[in-house]
C-alpha cells in the first residue's frame, strides 16, 4: 500500500483532491480496497465515511475487485436505439454474468456505461481502453477472443 | 516554429471515433508510404481532431486539393499515395459515394454532409494539429485575447458579449454577457471560472470533440472571460470517460503557459490567469452547476438551492462563473471579429450557430454545426442524408434526458431556443438522436426515466421517489400490464415533479414522457389497450416468427439461437418454439433472407 501513501503525497493531502486521489488508487489497484481508503482517510484527516460517500456516489468507483478486462457496453441513446441491449444480452449470456458482475475466473467485468461519446459508431463497446463500434451480436465473440 | 513548406498536406482525423477505427494505423501507413516514395519534403501527414463525419471513419482530407477520403484501411494507402501524390490522380476507390448512388464525390465541399454546415465553433476542424499551438496561432488564434487585453476594458468586453446575443450552449440558453456581468459586479478578492466539460447527455459528444480538436479555442475564451470578470483561477471539469480530451487540454495548457498566454503577466499586461483540469467522477447531476462546484470541492455532487447563485457565492464561497465548452469556444471569435459580425448569424433571439451530434437511425452520423434557425428537416435530410434502409422517420430526440421527442409533423421547425421549447423539447447541449419506425416511443421514455432514476442524487423527494414511480408505471405498460389510468398517473406525477424538484435535473426529468405522450399517445394506447408494441421492441408484447415462403432452411437461425428453440431440417422451413423463445433477436440478425419477422 506504499503506492497509496505516494498518491496522497502527490495531491498534497488536500481535502479537495479526495476524488482525484481515489481515481488514482482505483487506477493503480483496479478498485478501492478498504485498507487503501483507511490510509487516505487517516492521512487527509477525514472520516472514512466521507470516502465511502464519494465511492458510492460516483460511477467511476468500485469497492469490489474487478476483472482483468473491463467491458463497457455503451448504453447512450444512440447506442440504445441501435440495439445496445442486444449486445448486453449476448455478453451476459456468453459470460454467464449479469451487468455489474465479474466472471468467476476474474477475466472480465461487464458494465453498462452512460455514453462514451462515439455515437457515430453506435452501438459501441469499450474493452479496457479499446473502442469497438458498429457491432452486432455476432461480432462479439471475435472481439473477446483478442483478450487474454 | 517550423517554417518548412509542403506541397500537400494529408489531414488524418484522430477524433475518438476514427482512432477506435484504426486511424492511427492509417496515419502510420501514410507516413511510411510517403517516405518510401521519397515525398517527405513534399507531403506532410498531420493528425487533426474530429472532422465530424464519424460514420465514414477513418477519414483523411488532402489539402490544398480538398479531396475527402473515407473508410480508409492500411491496405488502401500504398495505392492511394501512388495515384494521388505521385501521379496526381485522386484515388476514386476511397472517395465518398452517397447511399444509393454510384458516382464518387471527390471534393469535401461538394458533399452534402459538409456543404450545408456553417463552421464557427468548429472553424479549425480538420485543418490543424490540436497539439500544436503554432498552428492555432497561424489561424488567428489568441488574437481575440490580445485584442481583449490591449484594446478593451472588462466592461467593454462584457458589453460586446451582451451585444453578440450569445446564449449558454450547455442547455439553459442563459445570455452569456449577462452572466458575466453578474460575476463581475460582485466585489471579491478572489473569483473563479469554470468550464463545464461534464458532457453527460447520452448521445451527445460536441464538447468532447471541441476539446479534442481545438483545445486552445476553449482556453482563449476562458482567458478573455476571466479578464472581463476579474477571475484569476479556472477549473475545467471533464468527464472521466474522455481520456483523449483530458490529454489534449492538458497539453494545450502547457503550451499556452510556455508562450506566456496563460500564467503570470499574460502578454505583458499584468493579467494573471491559471487553468486546472479536474476529472469528473461519473455523475450526470454534476452537469448542474452547484453540484459541479461541490464535486470540484471534493464532495459528493449534490445540487443546492439557488439563490445564492454561483456568481455571488460559488466555488469555496467565492463568486464563480460557469460556462460550458461550446460557449467558451464561441468567445474568441466573437471578440476577434466583433459582435456585429456574430449577430448576422442565426435568428432574432438565438444568435450564432449550434453544434449538434446527429446520431441514431441516420445515414450520415456525425458532428455538424449549423446556423440557428435552420429547419430540423434540413439537418436530418440535407446533412444527415435521411434514414437508413428505406425505413420511415418517426422522431428526433433533442436535449438529452431533459429534452423531448419531436415528430415528423414538426420537422420544419426552425432550430432555436424558443421554438424547441414550444414543441416541448429543449435545445439542450446538442444531441439529436434520430429514431425510425423500429424505435418504440414508450421504450424511449422508459429508457430516459431509467437513466434519470440512476442519476438522481437523492436529495429531494419528487425526483428521488417520483421518478421511481414513473419508471414502475412505464415498466407496467411495456410489459403488457398497463391500464388506462396509468397515463393519467404519469401526467400527474410529471406535473408534480416539474413543479417541485430542487434542480434542473428533476424539473426537466418528465419531459421525455410528456413529449412522447403529446405526440405518440397512440403508441402508449396500443401497448395498453391492444397489448401490442407497434415498433416491435417491447419483449413481452412481441413474437418472432419465420416466414414459410421466405425460409430456405439454411439453418443459420437455428445455429444462432442461444436457447436452441428453433427446429427444422436443412432445406426445410424452420419453426420457433414460442414458449422457449427469449426474444433475443439473434435469429433475425442471422437470417440472410429476411424470413424472420416480429409481430
Amino acid at each position: 500500500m506504499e503506492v497509496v501513501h505516494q498518491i496522497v503525497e502527490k495531491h498534497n493531502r488536500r481535502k479537495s483532491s479526495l476524488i482525484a486521489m481515489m481515481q488514482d488508487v482505483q487506477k493503480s489497484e483496479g478498485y478501492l480496497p478498504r485498507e487503501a481508503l483507511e490510509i487516505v482517510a487517516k492521512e487527509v484527516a477525514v472520516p472514512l465515511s466521507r470516502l465511502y460517500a464519494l465511492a458510492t456516489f460516483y460511477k467511476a468507483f468500485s469497492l469490489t475487485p474487478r476483472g482483468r478486462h473491463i467491458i463497457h457496453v455503451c448504453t447512450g441513446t444512440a447506442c440504445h436505439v441501435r440495439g445496445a441491449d442486444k449486445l448486453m444480452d449476448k455478453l451476459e449470456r456468453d459470460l454467464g454474468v449479469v451487468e455489474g458482475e465479474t466472471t468467476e475466473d476474474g477475466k472480465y467485468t461487464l458494465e453498462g456505461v452512460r455514453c462514451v461519446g462515439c455515437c457515430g459508431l453506435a452501438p459501441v463497446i469499450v474493452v479496457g481502453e479499446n473502442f469497438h463500434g458498429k457491432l452486432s451480436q455476432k461480432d462479439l465473440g471475435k472481439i473477446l477472443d483478442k483478450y487474454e | 516554429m517550423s517554417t518548412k513548406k509542403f506541397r500537400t498536406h494529408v489531414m488524418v482525423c484522430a477524433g475518438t471515433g476514427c482512432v477506435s477505427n484504426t486511424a492511427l494505423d492509417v496515419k502510420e501507413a501514410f507516413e511510411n508510404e510517403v517516405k518510401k516514395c521519397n515525398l517527405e519534403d513534399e507531403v506532410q501527414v498531420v493528425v487533426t481532431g474530429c472532422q465530424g463525419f464519424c460514420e465514414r471513419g477513418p477519414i483523411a482530407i488532402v489539402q490544398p486539393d480538398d479531396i475527402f477520403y473515407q473508410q480508409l484501411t492500411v491496405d488502401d494507402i500504398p495505392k492511394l499515395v501512388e495515384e494521388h501524390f505521385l501521379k496526381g490522380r485522386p484515388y476514386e476507390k476511397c472517395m465518398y459515394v452517397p447511399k444509393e448512388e454510384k458516382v464518387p464525390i471527390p471534393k469535401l465541399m461538394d458533399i452534402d454532409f459538409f456543404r450545408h454546415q456553417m463552421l464557427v465553433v468548429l472553424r479549425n476542424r480538420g485543418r490543424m494539429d490540436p497539439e500544436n499551438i503554432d498552428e492555432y496561432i497561424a489561424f488567428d488564434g489568441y488574437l481575440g485575447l490580445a485584442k481583449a487585453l490591449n484594446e478593451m476594458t472588462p466592461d467593454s468586453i462584457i458589453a460586446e458579449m451582451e451585444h453578440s446575443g450569445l446564449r449558454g450552449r450547455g442547455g439553459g440558453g442563459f445570455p452569456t454577457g449577462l452572466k458575466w456581468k453578474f460575476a463581475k459586479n460582485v466585489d471579491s478578492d478572489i473569483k473563479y471560472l469554470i468550464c463545464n466539460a461534464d458532457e453527460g447527455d447520452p448521445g451527445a459528444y460536441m464538447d468532447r470533440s471541441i476539446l479534442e480538436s481545438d483545445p486552445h479555442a476553449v482556453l482563449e475564451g476562458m482567458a478573455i472571460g476571466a479578464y472581463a470578470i476579474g477571475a484569476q483561477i479556472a477549473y475545467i471539469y471533464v468527464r472521466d470517460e474522455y481520456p483523449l480530451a483530458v490529454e489534449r487540454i492538458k497539453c494545450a495548457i502547457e503550451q499556452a503557459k510556455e508562450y506566456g498566454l496563460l500564467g503570470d503577466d499574460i502578454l505583458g499586461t499584468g493579467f494573471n490567469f491559471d487553468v486546472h483540469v479536474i476529472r469528473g467522477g461519473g455523475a450526470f447531476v454534476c452537469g448542474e452547476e452547484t453540484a459541479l462546484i461541490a464535486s470540484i470541492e471534493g464532495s459528493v455532487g449534490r445540487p443546492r438551492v439557488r439563490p445564492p447563485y454561483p456568481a455571488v457565492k460559488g466555488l469555496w464561497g467565492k463568486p464563480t462563473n460557469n460556462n460550458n465548452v461550446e460557449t467558451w469556444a464561441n468567445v474568441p471569435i466573437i471578440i476577434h471579429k466583433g459582435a456585429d459580425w456574430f449577430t448576422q448569424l442565426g435568428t432574432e433571439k438565438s444568435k450564432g450557430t449550434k453544434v449538434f451530434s446527429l446520431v441514431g437511425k441516420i445515414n450520415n452520423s456525425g458532428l455538424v454545426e449549423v446556423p440557428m434557425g435552420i429547419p430540423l428537416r434540413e439537418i436530418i435530410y440535407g446533412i444527415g442524408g435521411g434514414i437508413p434502409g428505406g425505413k420511415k422517420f418517426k422522431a428526433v430526440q433533442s436535449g438529452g434526458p431533459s429534452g423531448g421527442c419531436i415528430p415528423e409533423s414538426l420537422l420544419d421547425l426552425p432550430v432555436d431556443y424558443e421554438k424547441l421549447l414550444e414543441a416541448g423539447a429543449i435545445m439542450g447541449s446538442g444531441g439529436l438522436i434520430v429514431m425510425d419506425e423500429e424505435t418504440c416511443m414508450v421504450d424511449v421514455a422508459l429508457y430516459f426515466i431509467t437513466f434519470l432514476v440512476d442519476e438522481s442524487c437523492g436529495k429531494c423527494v419528487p425526483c428521488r421517489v417520483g421518478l421511481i414511480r414513473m419508471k414502475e408505471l412505464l415498466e407496467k405498460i411495456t410489459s403488457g400490464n398497463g391500464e388506462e389510468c396509468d397515463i393519467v398517473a404519469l401526467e400527474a406525477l410529471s406535473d408534480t415533479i416539474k413543479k417541485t424538484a430542487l434542480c434542473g435535473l428533476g424539473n426537466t426529468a418528465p419531459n421525455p414522457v410528456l413529449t412522447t405522450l403529446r405526440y405518440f399517445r397512440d403508441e402508449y394506447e396500443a401497448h395498453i389497450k391492444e397489448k401490442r408494441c407497434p415498433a416491435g421492441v417491447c419483449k413481452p408484447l412481441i413474437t418472432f416468427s419465420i416466414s414459410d415462403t421466405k425460409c430456405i432452411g439454411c439453418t443459420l437461425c437455428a445455429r444462432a439461437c442461444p436457447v436452441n428453440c428453433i427446429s427444422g431440417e436443412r432445406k426445410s422451413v424452420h419453426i420457433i418454439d414460442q414458449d422457449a423463445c427469449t426474444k433475443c433477436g439473434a435469429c433475425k440478425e442471422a437470417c440472410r433472407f429476411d424470413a424472420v419477422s416480429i409481430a
Side-chain angles (χ1 to χ4, degrees):
Chain A
M1 285 291 138
E2 183 51 37
V3 64
V4 180
H5 290 283
Q6 286 166 7
I7 288 168
V8 174
E9 268 325 301
K10 191 181 108 189
H11 292 283
N12 297 323
R13 294 163 208 272
R14 273 191 310 260
K15 286 194 179 73
S16 60
S17 299
L18 283 174
I19 297 172
M21 288 176 207
M22 288 162 68
Q23 281 169 332
D24 288 352
V25 172
Q26 166 124 345
K27 190 155 191 195
S28 145
E29 305 300 306
Y31 75 113
L32 299 175
R34 185 182 169 105
E35 48 177 331
L37 292 180
E38 282 170 352
I39 294 170
V40 175
K42 199 170 160 209
E43 299 257 326
V44 185
V46 293
L48 187 60
S49 61
R50 175 150 174 210
L51 299 185
Y52 272 84
L54 295 171
T56 51
F57 183 84
Y58 291 105
K59 287 236 155 42
F61 299 124
S62 170
L63 290 167
T64 49
R66 300 201 293 172
R68 290 199 299 285
H69 305 288
I70 315 287
I71 305 174
H72 279 139
V73 179
C74 181
T75 59
T77 322
C79 291
H80 179 75
V81 302
R82 285 201 187 182
D85 56 330
K86 292 199 174 80
L87 301 183
M88 182 64 92
D89 280 357
K90 167 95 172 146
L91 287 166
E92 286 184 342
R93 274 198 316 267
D94 290 358
L95 300 176
V97 292
V98 297
E99 185 180 340
E101 288 182 348
T102 301
T103 53
E104 261 176 33
D105 59 4
K107 188 170 176 187
Y108 298 109
T109 297
L110 180 63
E111 290 177 349
V113 59
R114 279 317 177 193
C115 180
V116 293
C118 243
C119 316
L121 303 178
V124 175
I125 70 166
V126 187
V127 186
E129 288 181 353
N130 303 323
F131 288 71
H132 304 274
K134 294 189 182 174
L135 299 177
S136 60
Q137 294 188 17
K138 59 178 182 291
D139 301 320
L140 293 170
K142 274 180 294 197
I143 291 172
L144 294 194
D145 284 347
K146 286 188 217 160
Y147 297 89
E148 283 307 312
Chain B
M1 188 172 168
S2 154
T3 49
K4 199 166 165 187
K5 294 253 187 326
F6 293 89
R7 166 169 65 99
T8 298
H9 296 265
V10 186
M11 317 301 285
V12 181
C13 177
T16 297
C18 284
V19 167
S20 68
N21 242 335
T22 69
L24 296 180
D25 298 338
V26 167
K27 176 211 149 215
E28 209 181 297
F30 265 119
E31 284 170 343
N32 291 341
E33 210 51 39
V34 164
K35 209 176 278 171
K36 214 185 273 172
C37 299
N38 292 320
L39 291 169
E40 305 113 292
D41 295 328
E42 294 180 50
V43 179
Q44 187 187 23
V45 181
V46 182
V47 167
T48 74
C50 177
Q51 299 182 3
F53 204 173
C54 311
E55 178 83 36
R56 293 298 179 122
I59 58 183
I61 303 167
V62 176
Q63 297 293 14
D65 316 6
D66 199 33
I67 303 294
F68 177 76
Y69 289 119
Q70 45 103 59
Q71 295 183 336
L72 293 167
T73 64
V74 171
D75 297 340
D76 290 326
I77 308 305
K79 192 83 183 152
L80 191 157
V81 169
E82 183 192 332
E83 287 289 312
H84 192 148
F85 302 149
L86 281 178
K87 298 181 183 165
R89 292 191 295 234
Y91 187 51
E92 280 200 6
K93 186 179 163 265
C94 297
M95 287 179 192
Y96 169 72
V97 185
K99 285 209 172 125
E100 279 140 49
E101 286 181 38
K102 288 193 179 107
V103 187
I105 305 178
K107 287 194 184 252
L108 178 94
M109 283 321 287
D110 293 333
I111 294 170
D112 281 343
F113 180 81
F114 294 104
R115 199 156 56 99
H116 298 289
Q117 295 193 43
M118 179 188 280
L119 305 185
V120 173
V121 173
L122 304 177
R123 56 193 174 273
N124 290 325
R125 153 160 122 184
R127 67 177 185 185
M128 60 167 218
D129 176 355
E131 296 190 4
N132 186 341
I133 189 171
D134 291 329
E135 298 195 15
Y136 179 70
I137 291 171
F139 288 112
D140 297 342
Y142 289 104
L143 282 186
L145 177 64
K147 182 176 170 187
L149 293 183
N150 293 309
E151 298 168 27
M152 299 172 83
T153 63
D155 284 319
S156 70
I157 294 171
I158 289 176
E160 191 76 1
M161 290 308 295
E162 284 193 277
H163 176 49
S164 77
L166 178 69
R167 296 169 66 173
R169 298 295 194 240
F174 193 80
T176 305
L178 191 59
K179 199 172 193 177
W180 290 14
K181 201 186 210 168
F182 290 149
K184 178 182 182 284
N185 288 344
V186 181
D187 268 337
S188 174
D189 52 339
I190 295 176
K191 291 181 189 177
Y192 294 104
L193 219 61
I194 293 174
C195 171
N196 183 350
D198 192 42
E199 185 171 50
D201 285 1
Y205 61 111
M206 298 72 51
D207 293 346
R208 154 176 223 158
S209 194
I210 294 167
L211 284 177
E212 286 178 4
S213 59
D214 203 2
H216 286 287
V218 178
L219 291 181
E220 185 183 355
M222 292 175 73
I224 294 169
Y227 176 66
I229 292 161
Q232 304 86 359
I233 297 169
Y235 293 91
I236 303 180
Y237 188 90
V238 195
R239 282 187 79 194
D240 205 30
E241 287 89 342
Y242 289 0
L244 187 59
V246 171
E247 195 185 307
R248 295 249 164 96
I249 194 77
K250 280 187 170 167
C251 168
I253 291 170
E254 285 312 310
Q255 292 180 346
K257 274 188 186 160
E258 251 173 58
Y259 277 57
L261 295 163
L262 278 184
D264 290 340
D265 192 22
I266 295 173
L267 295 172
T269 57
F271 168 56
N272 306 329
F273 180 56
D274 247 326
V275 181
H276 305 282
V277 176
I278 305 253
R279 286 174 298 147
F284 177 68
V285 71
C286 288
E288 200 279 344
E289 60 182 0
T290 59
L292 193 157
I293 286 170
S295 184
I296 295 180
E297 290 172 349
S299 303
V300 165
R302 288 206 178 91
R304 63 161 173 79
V305 177
R306 298 178 303 180
Y309 285 91
V312 178
K313 206 172 171 203
L315 199 54
W316 291 298
K318 299 291 182 184
T320 302
N321 180 79
N322 165 41
N323 288 112
N324 95 320
V325 172
E326 189 180 338
T327 314
W328 288 121
N330 265 294
V331 173
I333 197 162
I334 292 175
I335 296 299
H336 174 51
K337 289 198 176 181
D340 284 335
W341 165 79
F342 191 74
T343 52
Q344 291 166 17
L345 316 171
T347 64
E348 195 199 335
K349 287 188 176 167
S350 303
K351 297 294 179 196
T353 58
K354 180 78 193 85
V355 183
F356 289 103
S357 73
L358 183 60
V359 297
K361 305 280 188 74
I362 183 108
N363 273 321
N364 302 334
S365 280
L367 208 68
V368 304
E369 182 173 1
V370 289
M372 293 277 193
I374 188 175
L376 278 168
R377 189 182 300 280
E378 175 82 19
I379 301 179
I380 291 164
Y381 288 94
I383 297 172
I387 318 299
K391 297 270 177 5
K392 207 167 159 287
F393 171 89
K394 185 183 272 181
V396 57
Q397 208 279 346
S398 160
S402 307
C405 295
I406 299 162
E408 164 113 59
S409 59
L410 292 178
L411 270 189
D412 292 310
L413 200 72
V415 170
D416 80 5
Y417 289 97
E418 278 73 27
K419 290 285 184 333
L420 286 172
L421 204 59
E422 277 168 33
I426 60 166
M427 177 81 75
S429 60
L432 284 181
I433 296 104
V434 180
M435 299 167 179
D436 69 2
E437 56 189 312
E438 290 182 353
T439 313
C440 169
M441 301 315 284
V442 189
D443 174 69
V444 166
L446 173 60
Y447 166 80
F448 281 114
I449 296 298
T450 306
F451 176 93
L452 290 160
V453 165
D454 263 12
E455 296 294 343
S456 171
C457 78
K459 186 166 179 172
C460 74
V461 177
C463 179
R464 182 181 70 233
V465 183
L467 289 176
I468 293 178
R469 294 290 94 81
M470 287 182 78
K471 183 182 170 202
E472 287 165 357
L473 286 166
L474 289 164
E475 280 172 345
K476 189 176 158 198
I477 295 171
T478 54
S479 65
N481 299 313
E483 300 167 76
E484 279 178 59
C485 59
D486 294 337
I487 293 184
V488 182
L490 277 173
E491 285 171 333
L493 273 165
S494 298
D495 186 54
T496 307
I497 296 171
K498 263 180 110 93
K499 284 180 183 152
T500 56
L502 174 69
C503 79
L505 186 148
N507 296 140
T508 56
N511 283 353
V513 174
L514 289 173
T515 51
T516 47
L517 272 172
R518 181 163 155 192
Y519 300 117
F520 302 96
R521 203 179 189 92
D522 55 328
E523 283 197 38
Y524 281 83
E525 286 171 348
H527 283 74
I528 293 170
K529 291 182 191 162
E530 301 161 37
K531 308 296 175 205
R532 188 171 65 83
C533 174
V537 171
C538 299
K539 282 183 186 171
L541 300 178
I542 56 173
T543 50
F544 283 80
S545 57
I546 298 174
S547 154
D548 49 10
T549 51
K550 287 183 180 168
C551 177
I552 62 149
C554 70
T555 74
L556 273 181
C557 59
R559 277 183 279 157
C561 179
V563 291
N564 296 320
C565 77
I566 302 179
S567 57
E569 295 297 312
R570 180 169 276 280
K571 293 191 181 169
S572 69
V573 176
H574 282 51
I575 295 166
I576 300 174
D577 175 359
Q578 297 298 342
D579 294 333
C581 175
T582 59
K583 296 163 190 175
C584 71
C587 52
K588 189 167 167 46
E589 194 188 297
C591 182
R592 292 184 192 155
F593 303 93
D594 195 27
V596 182
S597 60
I598 303 174

